[in-house]
Amino acid sequence: GLQPLASLPHDFMIPNMTLRKAWQYWTSGNGGTYHRPWRYTLSEEMGDKKARDRLKRFRKIMLAIQVALPKGTWKDTATFQEHDAMFDTVKASFEFPSGMGLKRRHGEL
């Protein structure tokens, strides 16, 4: 049967990842571990200030992507594939150089 969606572990820290992967976790969670979409994570669930600050920055970026979507595109109940297609409509708007001589993998947050 269906598993209930779990909260993230108390000591969870958002890792470095591509913007697409971040969007996937934001919108769909992690099906392999049954963790709910990260957009439902509250700062109080994070174990320390550094993790809460990272969640705050992460949320700001993900909400900017949602706002950039064409009007009427966003659906809370979309499938993984639909959320991925939403990202494809705006990803070019979020390409950025690493700056300051830092090496960053293409598309990484």
Side-chain angles (χ1 to χ4, degrees):
L2 291 175
Q3 296 282 335
L5 294 177
S7 298
L8 295 169
H10 186 66
D11 61 349
F12 180 77
M13 175 72 75
I14 294 172
N16 291 336
M17 66 187 79
T18 65
L19 189 57
R20 177 179 297 279
K21 182 58 76 177
W23 176 253
Q24 290 167 346
Y25 283 125
W26 175 255
T27 58
S28 302
N30 184 341
T33 59
Y34 300 105
H35 286 129
R36 67 179 184 224
W38 292 0
R39 68 180 186 266
Y40 300 123
T41 302
L42 303 173
S43 61
E44 297 82 29
E45 295 177 73
M46 306 307 276
D48 62 29
K49 184 175 179 354
K50 185 176 179 181
R52 287 188 294 275
D53 288 346
R54 190 161 172 107
L55 175 64
K56 183 178 177 180
R57 289 189 307 273
F58 182 83
R59 182 180 310 280
K60 188 174 185 176
I61 294 167
M62 296 300 106
L63 290 175
I65 293 173
Q66 278 185 230
V67 167
L69 292 170
K71 188 174 178 127
T73 303
W74 174 254
K75 294 188 308 185
D76 274 336
T77 59
T79 65
F80 178 88
Q81 291 79 11
E82 290 170 329
H83 279 130
D84 220 32
M86 287 178 204
F87 179 79
D88 286 336
T89 67
V90 297
K91 71 179 178 183
S93 300
F94 292 91
E95 301 271 330
F96 56 93
S98 61
M100 297 179 53
L102 300 174
K103 299 282 184 197
R104 177 175 284 159
R105 285 181 267 160
H106 181 70
E108 185 176 84
L109 282 178

